[in-house]
Amino acid sequence: LVDINFSRNKIGDRGMVGLALGLASLTHSLNRLVLRDAMIGGKGIQTLFEALEQNPRISQTLYELDISANKFDANASQALTMW
């Protein structure tokens, strides 16, 4: 598994929580994570970045992260800048 693409799937914040749990425990690299227009809100985006922080392997190998066209808020923007 090197690419994950959930673009235009309505995973939302609830689905992002489940995906984040999987990402936090992933034991191999991930090159590409595409979540464009997946109806993810601020809480879901924040959860994503918390999972990425917990798993340095992903942060080191991820060369493309597309979270465009989702619902950013101040907390999501802060989580992005902190990552």
Side-chain angles (χ1 to χ4, degrees):
L1 179 70
V2 293
D3 293 345
I4 297 175
N5 187 341
F6 283 120
S7 291
R8 297 193 177 116
N9 284 282
K10 298 176 182 179
I11 64 172
D13 286 346
R14 289 182 62 193
M16 190 64 246
V17 169
L19 179 58
L21 287 171
L23 291 172
S25 62
L26 198 63
T27 59
H28 53 82
S29 62
L30 181 66
N31 296 338
R32 197 169 162 255
L33 179 58
V34 183
L35 300 167
R36 183 183 190 339
D37 193 20
M39 299 186 74
I40 303 169
K43 180 65 177 163
I45 298 293
Q46 189 174 5
T47 303
L48 167 65
F49 285 110
E50 288 169 1
L52 294 176
E53 286 177 9
Q54 290 176 18
N55 192 335
R57 172 170 271 174
I58 291 177
S59 294
Q60 293 169 353
T61 62
L62 192 64
Y63 70 85
E64 181 181 348
L65 174 63
D66 184 351
I67 51 175
S68 60
N70 286 292
K71 300 172 186 173
F72 271 74
D73 62 10
N75 291 333
S77 296
Q78 184 177 1
L80 172 61
T81 59
M82 297 297 287
W83 179 62

